[in-house]
Amino acid sequence: MNTNLNAEKILEYLQNHNSISNSEAQNILNMSPAGVRKIFVKLVEQGILIPSGANKNRIYRLSQESKK
């Protein structure tokens, strides 16, 4: 699957929701935990998402910069 398309789906989800977890993204994208994690890592490195929490309780929110 196209990583950019999957990242866009995550960002669209976050337009209507405060945060997203790995399991929520897995359901939306129909992907494995590892595949979703790769997308999250890319979005965090780009400064688009901010992780919060540890390990299995981690959630991701849009950064203030990406909300502009």
Side-chain angles (χ1 to χ4, degrees):
M1 243 186 193
N2 185 332
T3 302
N4 289 334
L5 181 60
N6 289 330
E8 287 178 28
K9 287 181 182 179
I10 289 171
L11 298 176
E12 286 175 18
Y13 179 89
L14 287 169
Q15 296 300 318
N16 299 311
H17 300 84
N18 203 24
S19 64
I20 189 169
S21 67
N22 189 298
S23 61
E24 289 169 326
Q26 289 173 51
N27 290 333
I28 293 166
L29 303 174
N30 195 27
M31 290 181 69
S32 70
V36 169
R37 199 166 28 255
K38 287 179 185 178
I39 296 169
F40 281 142
V41 166
K42 179 181 172 187
L43 292 172
V44 169
E45 287 175 349
Q46 293 174 346
I48 297 169
L49 296 183
I50 298 173
S52 169
N55 300 323
K56 292 188 179 195
N57 294 323
R58 183 166 291 152
I59 59 171
Y60 297 85
R61 292 187 171 98
L62 288 174
S63 70
Q64 291 300 319
E65 290 299 313
S66 62
K67 289 182 181 179
K68 293 180 180 178

